C-alpha cells in the first residue's frame, strides 16, 4: 500500500498531500477490516478476533520511519503497520481470521495462529536465508503478553554486533549495523516482567531499539490505575532518561491522534536509534479502542459513558480526517467518496478471502459425495450411511473436519465388506488425511541431516586433561573459524564461565563475542533468538539447568514454535547452553527433563555424558538450523578425558544412542551424569553373574531415530530405564518411546521398569544426593531384583 519512506522535507507539497491521503486510505482500510472482522466472528465464520482499531495513525508514523533491513517485534494489534509497509492485504487479513491453511492465501502462519499475528518470510522453501536487507522485516508474533520483548532485544543487539565485529558475511543481514528493531506493546502489558527485564537490558547494552507503548488506558477490562504506578509508564521510566553524563533512553511522549506530531516523533526516534544506537521509548497516549479488547466481550460493560464519549471524539482516524479537511488536502465530498470506495474494496476482499478458503473444502465435499453415492449402491448398511451422506450434502460451508468425519463414520458401516467403493473411500481418506497432516503438523522441525558422525581423533601422544579444557579449546576453534558465532551469559565473559569452559576467550575474541550479562535469563534467551533470526550464530548460556525455569516461557512459546508457527518461513538456529544434574541442594540439582520434553517440542534436547560429546554437539549444531538445548554434566568438568586432535570438526550424532557396554541379560538405558553410575554398577553386576548392556541415550529430542534400543531388548528380553528426573518424567517418555514406537514389548520376558529420583527436589549435601536420586546401591538392587524374579534359583533373594 505504501511505498518507500519519504520525509516531508524531501518532497513537494503535492507529493506530501498524496502521501497523507494514502495514509488515510490505509488507516480507513484497516479500520474497515477490524469492523468487518468482528462481524465475521459474531456470525461464526471466524473463531476469535482481536484487532488494531484505534491504533491506526501511530502505526502509520512508525511505518514511515521503518526502513528496509529493519525488524519489527510486535503484538497482535499492528495490522495497520503491516498494511502500510505492503506486507498485509485485506484478503490476507481475512484469510488469517478464517484460519486458511493455504500459505499463499494466509502467509502469516498458514492458519496456525489466530488473526493479528504477523510476520514476513526470512527464508526460502529450502531454509536458505532471503536477503533481509531488501525487505522490511517482521519477526513472527506470539500471543503471550510481553512475549515479544526478549526477542526484540536480540533483534536490536544484532545491529550492535554487525557494527562492531569484523569478518562476518553480513551482505544479507546488515549495513554496518544501521538497522533498527521496532517493538510494540499495549500499555497494560508493560506490567509484565519481560517488559522490565528487556527495558533494563537494552539500556545497559545501548542497542538501536525503538519501543512503542500503545496506551488506551485499559488492559482488557482493567483500567491503568490497577496496572501501572502513577498510571503512566513514561513517568515512572524517567530514571532511564539519558543525559549528558549517563547513557540511557530517549523517552518521547506523543498523542496518538496527532498525525503531524506522530510523524515528527517517529522520524526523530528512528534517526536517533539508527545513528547513535540509543534505545528510544515512545509513549503513545490518548489512544482509543473502538471495539473493546476483543470479540470475547463488549467494552460498554466496563467503560463509563464519559469515557466512551471521549473515545469517539478522540478517535485517531476521525482526528486525521478532520486534519486533512482543515488543511485543504481534500474536501468533505472527496473524503466521503474515498471512504465509500474503501468500504466496497474491503467487503470484496472479505468475500474473496472466504471463497478462496471455502473452495478446496467444497471440492473435497463433492468428491466424497460421489464416493458415498457408490457406497450406498454397494453396501448392505445403506440405511445407516444415507443420513451421513445427507448431512454432508446439506452442509453449505463445511470445514475439513466435517468432511473427514463423514468419511470416517461411514467406514464403521463397511466393516467386513469387500467392495470397490470401500477401497475407494479408504484411498480417499488416506490421501486427504495426508494433506491435512501437512496442514497442521508439518515444519515443527526442519528436515536436515542431524545424524552425521565425525569421531574424535587421537594421536599416540594424546594426554588426558580436565574435561573443561576440551570444551574451552573447542570453543576457541569455533570462534576462530566462525566470526558469526558468539556466546554470552552470567559469568561467561571475564572469568570464562563458572566452570572455566570459556577461560581466556573474552580476552582473545573481545567482549562483543564472549560477553557477560546481567542476571536476567529471559532476555539472555531473547538476545539469542533475535540475533539468530538475523543471521548470527549465538550460544546463549543459562548458568544452571534450574535457571532454565526463568526463561522457559520464552523458550517454549517463542523459540520452539517459530519454525512451526511460520510454516517453515522463519528460523532461529540458537544453541542454548546449560549445565546440571547430580549436584547437591534443592535449587542447584533439579532435573526438569520431563517438563522440558513436554514444552520444547520444536527444539533438540541433548544430554551428553561428557565434554567431548558436548563439544561434538556444538560442532554439529552450528551446521544445522534447528534450535537446541545442551545440558552439560555439572560434575564432569574436572574429570579426565582425552584431548581430541580434530577440535571443531568432530561431531556427535543427534538422535542416535550409543552402546557403551554389551551384555545379554538386561538392557540398561540412561543418560548424563547418572550414566556414569550405571556404568560402574554394570561392572559390579559381573560379580554376581549378571551381564548388563548399557546404552547412552545422548539425545532426548529426537530419540533413538534408528530404533537401536529395541535391538538390544530383543537380545536381553529385559529393560530398565534409570533417570534422575522425578517419577513420570523423562523415564516415562523414554519408556513410551521404546515400548510403543519401537514395539519392544514383544520381546520382553520381564516387566519393563524405571528407576527414578524421588518426587521431591534433592536435599542438600552428599547424603541428600544419595537418598534423593538413584544411588549405585539402588541401581544394583533394582537390577538384581529383576533378575531374581526371572530366575530365583540362580539369583536368590538379596533382601
Amino acid at each position: 500500500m505504501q511505498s518507500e519512506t519519504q520525509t516531508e522535507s524531501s518532497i513537494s507539497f503535492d507529493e506530501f498531500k498524496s502521501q497523507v491521503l494514502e495514509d488515510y486510505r490505509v488507516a480507513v482500510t484497516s479500520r474497515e477490516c477490524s469492523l468487518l472482522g468482528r462481524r465475521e466472528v459474531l456470525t461464526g465464520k471466524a473463531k476469535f478476533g482481536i484487532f488494531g482499531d484505534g491504533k491506526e495513525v501511530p502505526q502509520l508514523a512508525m511505518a514511515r520511519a521503518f526502513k528496509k533491513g529493519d525488524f519489527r517485534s510486535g503484538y497482535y494489534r499492528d495490522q495497520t503497520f503491516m498494511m502500510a509497509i505492503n506486507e498485509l492485504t485485506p484478503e490476507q487479513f481475512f484469510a488469517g481470521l478464517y484460519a486458511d491453511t493455504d500459505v499463499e492465501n494466509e502467509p502469516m502462519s498458514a492458519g496456525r495462529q489466530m488473526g493479528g499475528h504477523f510476520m514476513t518470510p526470512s527464508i526460502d522453501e529450502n531454509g536458505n536465508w532471503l536477503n533481509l536487507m531488501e525487505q522490511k522485516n517482521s519477526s513472527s508474533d506470539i500471543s503471550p503478553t510481553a512475549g515479544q520483548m526478549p526477542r526484540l532485544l536480540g533483534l536490536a543487539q544484532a545491529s550492535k554486533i554487525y557494527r562492531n565485529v569484523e569478518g562476518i558475511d553480513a551482505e544479507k543481514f546488515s549495513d554496518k549495523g544501521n538497522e533498527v528493531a521496532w517493538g510494540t506493546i499495549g500499555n497494560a502489558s508493560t506490567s509484565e516482567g519481560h517488559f522490565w527485564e528487556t527495558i533494563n537490558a537494552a539500556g545497559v547494552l545501548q542497542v538501536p531499539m525503538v519501543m512503542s507503548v500503545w496506551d488506551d488506558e485499559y488492559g482488557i477490562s482493567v483500567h491503568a490505575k490497577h496496572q501501572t504506578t502513577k498510571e503512566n509508564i513514561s513517568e515512572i521510566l524517567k530514571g532511564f532518561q539519558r543525559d549528558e553524563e549517563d547513557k540511557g533512553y530517549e523517552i518521547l511522549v506523543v498523542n496518538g491522534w496527532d498525525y503531524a506530531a506522530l510523524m515528527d516523533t517517529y522520524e526523530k526516534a528512528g534517526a536517533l536509534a539508527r545513528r547513535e544506537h540509543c534505545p528510544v521509548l515512545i509513549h503513545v497516549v490518548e489512544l482509543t479502542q473502538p471495539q473493546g479488547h476483543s470479540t470475547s466481550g463488549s467494552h460498554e460493560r466496563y467503560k463509563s459513558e464519559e469515557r466512551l464519549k471521549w473515545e469517539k471524539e478522540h478517535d485517531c482516524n476521525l482526528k486525521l480526517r478532520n486534519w486533512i479537511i482543515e488543511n485543504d488536502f481534500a474536501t468533505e465530498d472527496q473524503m466521503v467518496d474515498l471512504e465509500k470506495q474503501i468500504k466496497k474494496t474491503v467487503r470484496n476482499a472479505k468475500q474473496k478471502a472466504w471463497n478462496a478458503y471455502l473452495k478446496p473444502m467444497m471440492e473435497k465435499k463433492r468428491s466424497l459425495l460421489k464416493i458415498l453415492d457408490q457406497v450406498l449402491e454397494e453396501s448392505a448398511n445403506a440405511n445407516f450411511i444415507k443420513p451421513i451422506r445427507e448431512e454432508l450434502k446439506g452442509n453449505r460451508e463445511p470445514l475439513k473436519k466435517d468432511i473427514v468425519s463423514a468419511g470416517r463414520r461411514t467406514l464403521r458401516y463397511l466393516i467386513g465388506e469387500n467392495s470397490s467403493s470401500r477401497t475407494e473411500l479408504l484411498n480417499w481418506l488416506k490421501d486427504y488425511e495426508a494433506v491435512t497432516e501437512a496442514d497442521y503438523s508439518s515444519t515443527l522441525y526442519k528436515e536436515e541431516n542431524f545424524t552425521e558422525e565425525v569421531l574424535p581423533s587421537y594421536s599416540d601422544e594424546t594426554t588426558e586433561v580436565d574435561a573443561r579444557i576440551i570444551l574451552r579449546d573447542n570453543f576457541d576453534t569455533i570462534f576462530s573459524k566462525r566470526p558469526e558465532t558468539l556466546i554470552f551469559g552470567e559469568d561467561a565473559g571475564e572469568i570464562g564461565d563458572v566452570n572455566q569452559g570459556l577461560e581466556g576467550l573474552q580476552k582473545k575474541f573481545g567482549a562483543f563475542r564472549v560477553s557477560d550479562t546481567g542476571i536476567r535469563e529471559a532476555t539472555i534467551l531473547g538476545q539469542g533468538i533475535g540475533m539468530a533470526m538475523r543471521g548470527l550464530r549465538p550460544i546463549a548460556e543459562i548458568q544452571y539447568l534450574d535457571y532454565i525455569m526463568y526463561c522457559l516461557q520464552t523458550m517454549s512459546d517463542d523459540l520452539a514454535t517459530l519454525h512451526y508457527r511460520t510454516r517453515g518461513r522463519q528460523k532461529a538456529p540458537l544453541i542454548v547452553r546449560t549445565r546440571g544434574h547430580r549436584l547437591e541442594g534443592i535449587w542447584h540439582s533439579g532435573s526438569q527433563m520431563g517438563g522440558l520434553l513436554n514444552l520444547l517440542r520444536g527444539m533438540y534436547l541433548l544430554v551428553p555424558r561428557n565434554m567431548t560429546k558436548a563439544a561434538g554437539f556444538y560442532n554439529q549444531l552450528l551446521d544445522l538450523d534447528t534450535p537446541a538445548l545442551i545440558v552439560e554434566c555439572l560434575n564432569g568438568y574436572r574429570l579426565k578425558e582425552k584431548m581430541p586432535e580434530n577440535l571443531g570438526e568432530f561431531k556427535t550424532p543427534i538422535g542416535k544412542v550409543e552402546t557403551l557396554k554389551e551384555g545379554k541379560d538386561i538392557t540398561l538405558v540412561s543418560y548424563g551424569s547418572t550414566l556414569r553410575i550405571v556404568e560402574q554398577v554394570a561392572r559390579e553386576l559381573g560379580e554376581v553373574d549378571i551381564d548388563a548392556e548399557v546404552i547412552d541415550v545422548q539425545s532426548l529430542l529426537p530419540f533413538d531415530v534408528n530404533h537401536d534400543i529395541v535391538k538390544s531388548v530383543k537380545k536381553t528380553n529385559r529393560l530398565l530405564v534409570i533417570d534422575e528426573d522425578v517419577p513420570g518424567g523423562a523415564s516415562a517418555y523414554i519408556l513410551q518411546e521404546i515400548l510403543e514406537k519401537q514395539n519392544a514389548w514383544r520381546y520382553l520376558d520381564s516387566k519393563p521398569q524405571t528407576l527414578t529420583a524421588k518426587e521431591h527436589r534433592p536435599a542438600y549435601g552428599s547424603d541428600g544426593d544419595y537418598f534423593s536420586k538413584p544411588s549405585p546401591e539402588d541401581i544394583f538392587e533394582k537390577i538384581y531384583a529383576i533378575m531374581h524374579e526371572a530366575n530365583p534359583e540362580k539369583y536368590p533373594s538379596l533382601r
Side-chain angles (χ1 to χ4, degrees):
M1 291 185 178
Q2 178 173 297
S3 58
E4 190 65 31
T5 300
Q6 290 180 297
T7 62
E8 184 178 349
S9 60
S10 65
I11 58 178
S12 68
F13 175 80
D14 286 341
E15 289 172 323
F16 178 62
K17 172 183 173 180
S18 176
Q19 287 196 351
V20 170
L21 292 175
E22 172 63 13
D23 279 346
Y24 184 70
R25 187 180 71 82
V26 174
V28 176
T29 299
S30 178
R31 178 66 62 86
E32 285 300 312
C33 285
S34 296
L35 295 173
L36 272 182
R38 183 179 180 86
R39 293 178 200 168
E40 291 300 274
V41 174
L42 298 180
T43 58
K45 284 186 175 181
K47 299 292 288 185
F48 179 78
I50 192 161
F51 308 111
D53 46 305
K55 316 297 186 294
E56 292 91 350
V57 175
Q59 290 181 27
L60 293 171
M62 176 175 153
R64 289 278 179 191
F66 198 94
K67 298 185 182 300
K68 288 183 178 180
D70 287 358
F71 258 90
R72 165 190 167 273
S73 182
Y75 86 139
Y76 37 72
R77 298 199 189 277
D78 291 347
Q79 69 197 46
T80 308
F81 169 82
M82 295 299 292
M83 290 178 176
I85 65 168
N86 289 320
E87 291 295 342
L88 179 70
T89 66
E91 290 93 338
Q92 291 167 344
F93 171 89
F94 287 105
L97 201 61
Y98 301 140
D100 194 327
T101 58
D102 187 331
V103 73
E104 297 300 319
N105 297 338
E106 204 283 88
M108 301 300 152
S109 74
R112 293 179 178 185
Q113 297 210 81
M114 65 179 68
H117 293 70
F118 307 115
M119 58 81 69
T120 55
S122 298
I123 55 178
D124 63 21
E125 61 276 9
N126 297 315
N128 300 314
W129 288 108
L130 300 174
N131 190 331
L132 304 186
M133 295 302 297
E134 294 180 351
Q135 61 187 45
K136 296 178 179 180
N137 303 286
S138 175
S139 59
S140 174
D141 296 337
I142 58 176
S143 291
T145 54
Q148 71 274 27
M149 293 296 298
R151 178 203 325 140
L152 172 65
L153 178 66
L155 290 169
Q157 189 183 4
S159 292
K160 198 86 172 179
I161 299 300
Y162 282 121
R163 179 171 287 186
N164 291 280
V165 176
E166 296 180 356
I168 303 174
D169 181 4
E171 181 181 0
K172 293 182 178 180
F173 307 107
S174 182
D175 175 20
K176 300 176 183 178
N178 289 324
E179 304 75 35
V180 173
W182 302 77
T184 65
I185 195 169
N187 181 61
S189 294
T190 64
S191 302
E192 293 277 13
H194 282 356
F195 174 84
W196 289 95
E197 190 172 313
T198 302
I199 290 294
N200 181 59
V204 171
L205 292 171
Q206 288 293 289
V207 293
M209 179 181 99
V210 178
M211 183 69 235
S212 296
V213 179
W214 309 140
D215 190 350
D216 57 28
E217 290 195 16
Y218 284 85
I220 310 180
S221 66
V222 180
H223 190 268
K225 66 185 178 182
H226 302 295
Q227 307 275 2
T228 310
T229 303
K230 299 184 178 182
E231 301 181 32
N232 191 319
I233 190 64
S234 57
E235 182 68 22
I236 61 176
L237 284 173
K238 279 185 176 179
F240 285 79
Q241 175 66 51
R242 66 180 190 156
D243 54 35
E244 293 181 358
E245 295 183 1
D246 297 308
K247 294 180 179 179
Y249 274 76
E250 189 68 22
I251 299 177
L252 307 171
V253 181
V254 61
N255 289 327
W257 47 263
D258 191 335
Y259 178 80
L262 284 162
M263 289 293 171
D264 181 66
T265 299
Y266 273 89
E267 192 69 33
K268 175 183 176 182
L272 178 62
R274 206 176 302 280
R275 181 179 64 252
E276 298 184 24
H277 278 195
C278 166
V280 182
L281 183 130
I282 304 177
H283 187 191
V284 185
V285 299
E286 295 197 7
L287 285 171
T288 66
Q289 199 155 268
Q291 298 186 115
H293 171 264
S294 68
T295 54
S296 62
S298 170
H299 64 156
E300 285 83 4
R301 293 164 53 198
Y302 53 85
K303 290 178 182 175
S304 68
E305 290 185 9
E306 292 77 13
R307 174 68 191 187
L308 291 170
K309 180 175 181 292
W310 181 91
E311 289 199 4
K312 287 182 179 179
E313 293 171 349
H314 287 78
D315 184 296
C316 63
N317 283 12
L318 175 62
K319 288 281 191 177
L320 175 56
R321 187 184 195 276
N322 293 340
W323 183 84
I324 289 171
I325 294 173
E326 290 168 2
N327 285 277
D328 295 326
F329 291 126
T331 65
E332 172 70 25
D333 289 342
Q334 288 172 328
M335 297 297 276
V336 170
D337 289 342
L338 176 61
E339 289 157 359
K340 287 181 179 178
Q341 177 189 343
I342 291 170
K343 287 177 183 290
K344 181 178 180 181
T345 298
V346 172
R347 284 196 301 269
N348 290 340
K350 174 186 73 72
Q351 192 59 49
K352 184 178 178 181
W354 179 251
N355 292 340
Y357 167 69
L358 207 57
K359 181 180 178 181
M361 269 87 85
M362 297 303 292
E363 291 173 352
K364 285 297 180 182
K365 171 186 169 179
R366 287 191 290 270
S367 66
L368 180 58
L369 286 174
K370 184 177 179 181
I371 294 172
L372 295 183
D373 287 340
Q374 187 65 30
V375 167
L376 288 173
E377 292 183 10
E378 297 180 0
S379 176
N381 289 315
N383 288 338
F384 297 102
I385 297 170
K386 187 174 182 180
I388 299 174
R389 192 254 183 211
E390 294 305 309
E391 178 186 352
L392 178 61
K393 182 181 179 181
N395 191 336
R396 298 178 63 183
E397 296 177 339
L399 300 176
K400 294 176 188 176
K401 71 179 183 66
D402 301 326
I403 303 168
V404 170
S405 175
R408 294 173 72 178
R409 284 185 291 139
T410 299
L411 272 182
R412 302 173 190 175
Y413 299 105
L414 301 181
I415 295 173
E417 295 187 9
N418 186 21
S419 63
S420 60
S421 59
R422 179 179 182 272
T423 300
E424 190 174 358
L425 176 59
L426 285 169
N427 290 334
W428 184 93
L429 280 170
K430 181 180 178 181
D431 292 342
Y432 195 28
E433 286 172 344
V435 171
T436 54
E437 177 76 11
D439 284 342
Y440 300 105
S441 300
S442 64
T443 69
L444 179 59
Y445 294 91
K446 180 185 177 184
E447 293 184 8
E448 55 189 355
N449 179 19
F450 50 72
T451 60
E452 180 184 2
E453 183 170 18
V454 178
L455 293 172
S457 61
Y458 303 96
S459 68
D460 293 337
E461 291 78 31
T462 295
T463 59
E464 289 193 339
V465 298
D466 286 350
R468 70 169 184 93
I469 302 297
I470 295 173
L471 270 180
R472 183 197 67 187
D473 291 1
N474 194 74
F475 280 132
D476 190 334
T477 304
I478 286 171
F479 296 149
S480 296
K481 292 182 176 180
R482 299 174 181 255
E484 71 279 8
T485 56
L486 61 155
I487 192 166
F488 46 91
E490 298 160 19
D491 298 315
E494 187 173 354
I495 70 168
D497 88 38
V498 291
N499 297 103
Q500 299 289 279
L502 299 169
E503 180 188 23
L505 298 188
Q506 185 184 79
K507 185 176 181 180
K508 181 173 182 179
F509 295 102
F512 284 104
R513 295 189 63 197
V514 183
S515 54
D516 288 310
T517 68
I519 300 176
R520 48 173 181 78
E521 285 79 10
T523 44
I524 291 172
L525 203 281
Q527 287 176 252
I529 296 173
M531 287 193 281
M533 293 186 78
R534 290 193 56 193
L536 297 169
R537 293 307 303 248
I539 302 171
E541 179 173 312
I542 305 299
Q543 194 165 80
Y544 296 111
L545 179 60
D546 298 78
Y547 302 169
I548 287 286
M549 302 296 285
Y550 287 88
C551 64
L552 187 54
Q553 183 270 327
T554 300
M555 198 184 306
S556 176
D557 289 340
D558 197 354
L559 180 60
T561 67
L562 178 64
H563 198 253
Y564 169 78
R565 73 177 188 268
T566 63
R567 195 155 181 176
R569 305 185 85 191
Q570 286 189 350
K571 64 181 178 181
L574 169 64
I575 301 173
V576 183
R577 179 194 185 205
T578 192
R579 52 187 69 82
H581 303 320
R582 304 308 301 209
L583 196 62
E584 293 152 357
I586 292 176
W587 310 116
H588 291 82
S589 57
S591 181
Q592 300 89 351
M593 307 310 293
L596 298 178
L597 284 164
N598 278 282
L599 296 169
L600 299 186
R601 303 301 171 102
M603 294 179 63
Y604 298 146
L605 178 51
L606 310 176
V607 283
R609 68 178 182 271
N610 59 38
M611 302 310 155
T612 303
K613 289 291 183 179
F617 278 139
Y618 290 112
N619 298 337
Q620 180 85 268
L621 288 167
L622 287 169
D623 288 331
L624 303 177
D625 282 334
T626 300
L629 171 63
I630 299 179
V631 184
E632 298 168 9
C633 294
L634 185 53
N635 58 6
Y637 294 102
R638 301 291 174 178
L639 298 180
K640 300 297 183 182
E641 296 181 33
K642 290 183 178 180
M643 173 64 80
E645 285 189 311
N646 54 339
L647 292 170
E649 298 176 4
F650 62 89
K651 295 182 177 181
T652 306
I654 295 172
K656 291 180 70 174
V657 304
E658 183 177 354
T659 300
L660 304 182
K661 176 186 175 300
E662 293 190 354
K664 64 181 187 333
D665 294 327
I666 187 169
T667 299
L668 308 179
V669 177
S670 190
Y671 62 87
S673 296
T674 299
L675 187 69
R676 290 199 294 272
I677 303 176
V678 173
E679 287 186 281
Q680 170 195 331
V681 171
R683 292 190 293 269
E684 295 171 355
L685 286 167
E687 299 173 5
V688 291
D689 199 22
I690 297 175
D691 187 12
E693 183 144 302
V694 179
I695 295 179
D696 179 8
V697 166
Q698 299 197 105
S699 167
L700 288 168
L701 292 174
F703 182 85
D704 190 10
V705 295
N706 293 334
H707 290 189
D708 288 324
I709 295 178
V710 69
K711 300 169 189 174
S712 173
V713 174
K714 188 175 182 179
K715 176 176 60 175
T716 67
N717 309 120
R718 294 176 187 86
L719 172 66
L720 176 64
V721 177
I722 304 128
D723 177 34
E724 64 173 277
D725 201 7
V726 296
S731 60
Y733 162 79
I734 292 170
L735 203 59
Q736 182 186 34
E737 289 280 328
I738 297 170
L739 296 184
E740 293 187 14
K741 288 191 178 180
Q742 300 187 14
N743 290 317
W745 59 270
R746 295 179 298 183
Y747 307 111
L748 289 169
D749 292 337
S750 298
K751 180 178 72 173
Q753 298 189 48
T754 65
L755 177 60
T756 69
K758 298 296 196 318
E759 293 184 21
H760 56 75
R761 299 224 179 167
Y764 174 63
S766 297
D767 281 342
D769 175 73
Y770 183 88
F771 291 104
S772 300
K773 294 188 175 185
S775 68
E777 288 70 36
D778 292 332
I779 299 169
F780 186 100
E781 291 173 11
K782 182 77 167 182
I783 295 166
Y784 190 88
I786 293 172
M787 299 307 297
H788 164 71
E789 182 183 48
N791 191 343
E793 291 187 5
K794 183 175 181 180
Y795 304 105
S797 178
L798 180 64
R799 301 182 65 172

